[in-house]
């Protein structure tokens, strides 16, 4: 059986990394490869909250790698929906893990759900996880 592959998309407006923490924990149990897809502002303007998130994310990735996890960090300026669908198809992603930070993330889940065959997990809070039905999209 091939190792599982987990994708964690991070929208620009993300304020928390709970989806990344959840994915890392899941990857540890499943011996999975974690792909983090981070959308960044194409204008290149520095935003203090996003700078803090970037530093916290890099610390988390480095800690996970030191613990033996396989983690890939991808950065995109394109539409996140297109990047997600492309990564799912090209890399054979099994599971997507989304945070429930804001309306943008919620809309993204609704947009991509019919386009991909992967399981989608929404991490809504510390003890609240929503497992969405596998998409009916193209395989």
């Amino acid at each position: 059986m091939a190792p599982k592959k987990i994708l964690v998309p991070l929208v620009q407006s993300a304020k928390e990394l709970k989806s990344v923490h959840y994915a890392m924990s899941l990857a540890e149990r499943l011996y999975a490869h974690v792909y983090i897809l981070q959308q960044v502002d194409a204008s290149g303007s520095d935003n203090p909250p996003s700078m803090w998130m970037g530093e916290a994310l890099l610390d988390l990735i480095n800690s996970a790698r030191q613990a033996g996890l396989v983690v890939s960090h991808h950065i995109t300026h394109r539409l996140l929906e297109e990047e997600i669908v492309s990564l799912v198809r090209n890399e054979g992603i099994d599971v997507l893990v989304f945070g429930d930070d804001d309306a943008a993330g919620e809309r993204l889940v609704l947009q991509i759900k019919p386009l991909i065959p992967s399981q989608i997990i929404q991490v809504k809070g510390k003890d609240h996880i929503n497992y969405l039905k596998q998409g009916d999209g193209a395989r």
Side-chain angles (χ1 to χ4, degrees):
M1 184 169 149
K4 295 278 187 194
K5 296 180 180 180
I6 301 169
L7 174 61
V8 186
L10 296 174
V11 295
Q12 282 179 322
S13 57
K15 296 172 183 66
E16 296 183 29
L17 294 174
K18 63 187 168 202
S19 59
V20 178
H21 285 280
Y22 181 86
M24 298 290 188
S25 176
L26 184 61
E28 196 171 26
R29 292 190 308 271
L30 298 176
Y31 304 103
H33 181 141
V34 177
Y35 295 77
I36 298 171
L37 178 60
Q38 183 180 15
Q39 184 182 39
V40 294
D41 186 2
S43 70
S45 63
D46 289 336
N47 178 355
S50 65
M51 288 175 56
W52 172 85
M53 279 289 290
E55 290 176 16
L57 178 60
L58 291 177
D59 286 345
L60 184 56
I61 290 169
N62 288 333
S63 294
R65 287 176 176 162
Q66 288 175 354
L69 291 177
V70 179
V71 181
S72 299
H73 183 207
H74 304 264
I75 296 175
T76 186
H77 299 284
R78 294 184 355 173
L79 288 175
L80 202 50
E81 177 185 342
E82 293 174 5
E83 288 289 335
I84 292 169
V85 172
S86 176
L87 265 174
V88 166
R89 291 182 179 159
N90 293 336
E91 298 294 332
I93 302 293
D94 301 294
V95 179
L96 278 83
V97 178
F98 284 89
D100 192 26
D101 300 297
D102 58 14
E106 194 69 33
R107 279 192 307 272
L108 184 60
V109 169
L110 294 174
Q111 288 172 339
I112 67 160
K113 188 176 172 186
L115 302 175
I116 60 169
S118 308
Q119 178 184 7
I120 298 174
I121 299 172
Q122 282 183 290
V123 181
K124 294 185 179 258
K126 186 174 181 180
D127 297 320
H128 187 92
I129 309 298
N130 186 14
Y131 297 91
L132 299 179
K133 194 172 166 179
Q134 190 166 336
D136 297 322
R139 294 184 184 261

